[in-house]
Amino acid sequence: MLSENLRDVEKRIEEACKRSNRDPKEVTLIAVSKTKPVEMLQEVYDAGARNFGENKVQEIMDKYDHLPQDIHWHMIGHLQRNKVKYIVDKVQMIHSVDSLRLAETIDKEAKKKNVTVPILIEVNVAEEDSKFGLSLEEVTALAEEISKLSNVRVCGLMTVAPFVEDPEENREVFRSLKKLSVDIAAKNINNVTMSVLSMGMTNDFEVAVEEGATMVRVGTAIFGARDYSRKD
Ligand SMILES: *Cc1c(COP(=O)(O)O)cnc(C)c1O
């Protein structure tokens, strides 16, 4: 049952909070529903989830009209500039901003729709070739540039940690991202806050919570394994 999976993940988040003296209310669970049908999202919604994560614009658009309107949609995947216009007024937050050009496009489309879009800067902490995101050194400069845009708000940082067998191996990655967010917050950049740290997935979300995650993005532990062969 998906509701039991959801409860189990929530319980594990609570326990990780206890271990690290954190208030579970500080941690938002994003149910990552990519490749999953709307019926499964509805089931998880009925069990109480309100935050859903998708990594494709098309999938958000396909699902959006078939599910309750109080869902908070999170764009967590690589975003092409020509697709920004379709989701800019539909998503709660864009987690995957990794260039000024993308932020400028979001700003431009947000202005047209008269909205302000909360965004996170994606950081490739481990500097893996296969991943999107900035290196730790590049983030502050980008935050400063984006802060000049009127309809985009930098709210924090996001990372996709390496795939590892033992989640402890990612503790240092999460710690580095937390430290960077503290350093940037101390600079008091206009229009920039570091209130959100989006880190931790099925394999390592407990370690991420212990290291300060305020959003965890969990797919497999809630919805089960994804079957990409059946897609489309
Ligand atoms: C798919 C995905 C997740 C969820 O991954 P699981 O291992 O299934 O929990 C989290 N974040 C991003 C950016 C993803 O693409």
Side-chain angles (χ1 to χ4, degrees), residues 166-208:
D166 177 3
E168 282 299 328
E169 290 175 50
N170 279 336
R171 189 176 291 278
E172 205 50 51
V173 168
F174 299 139
R175 222 171 250 179
S176 301
L177 196 69
K178 170 73 185 183
K179 180 178 181 307
L180 178 62
S181 82
V182 170
D183 290 348
I184 294 175
K187 292 183 190 296
N188 286 316
I189 306 167
N190 241 337
N191 282 330
V192 172
T193 68
M194 284 288 132
S195 50
V196 177
L197 261 192
S198 170
M199 57 187 196
M201 305 172 28
T202 290
N203 284 320
D204 55 19
F205 70 87
E206 289 152 299
V207 175

Side-chain angles (χ1 to χ4, degrees), residues 79-119:
L79 180 55
Q80 288 170 298
R81 284 183 298 133
N82 62 353
K83 293 191 176 156
V84 168
K85 56 178 176 283
Y86 301 117
I87 55 155
V88 82
D89 56 346
K90 292 190 170 62
V91 295
Q92 180 79 11
M93 186 170 276
I94 297 174
H95 291 229
S96 41
V97 175
D98 60 358
S99 73
L100 182 58
R101 287 175 79 203
L102 175 57
E104 285 171 341
T105 303
I106 297 169
D107 184 57
K108 189 179 85 187
E109 298 299 332
K111 277 194 188 104
K112 288 185 194 164
K113 302 241 164 75
N114 202 21
V115 295
T116 299
V117 184
I119 64 150

Side-chain angles (χ1 to χ4, degrees), residues 30 32 34 54-55 76-78 95-96 122 158-160 163 198 200-203 205 216-222 224-226 228:
I30 299 175
V32 176
K34 63 193 186 196
E54 292 283 346
N55 68 341
I76 61 173
H78 187 64
H95 291 229
S96 41
E122 180 168 0
M158 175 271 216
T159 196
V160 179
F163 181 80
S198 170
M201 305 172 28
T202 290
N203 284 320
F205 70 87
V216 292
R217 309 177 308 268
V218 179
T220 308
I222 297 172
R226 287 176 291 274
Y228 285 101

Side-chain angles (χ1 to χ4, degrees), residues 22-64:
R22 299 188 62 202
D23 181 349
K25 291 196 195 74
E26 290 172 16
V27 183
T28 300
L29 171 58
I30 299 175
V32 176
S33 45
K34 63 193 186 196
T35 79
K36 300 297 180 183
V38 290
E39 292 74 21
M40 288 178 81
L41 277 72
Q42 183 70 52
E43 197 176 326
V44 173
Y45 175 94
D46 291 338
R50 291 296 177 270
N51 289 276
F52 289 83
E54 292 283 346
N55 68 341
K56 292 209 167 76
V57 167
Q58 188 63 49
E59 232 178 303
I60 294 179
M61 291 169 64
D62 290 344
K63 290 172 177 174
Y64 190 83

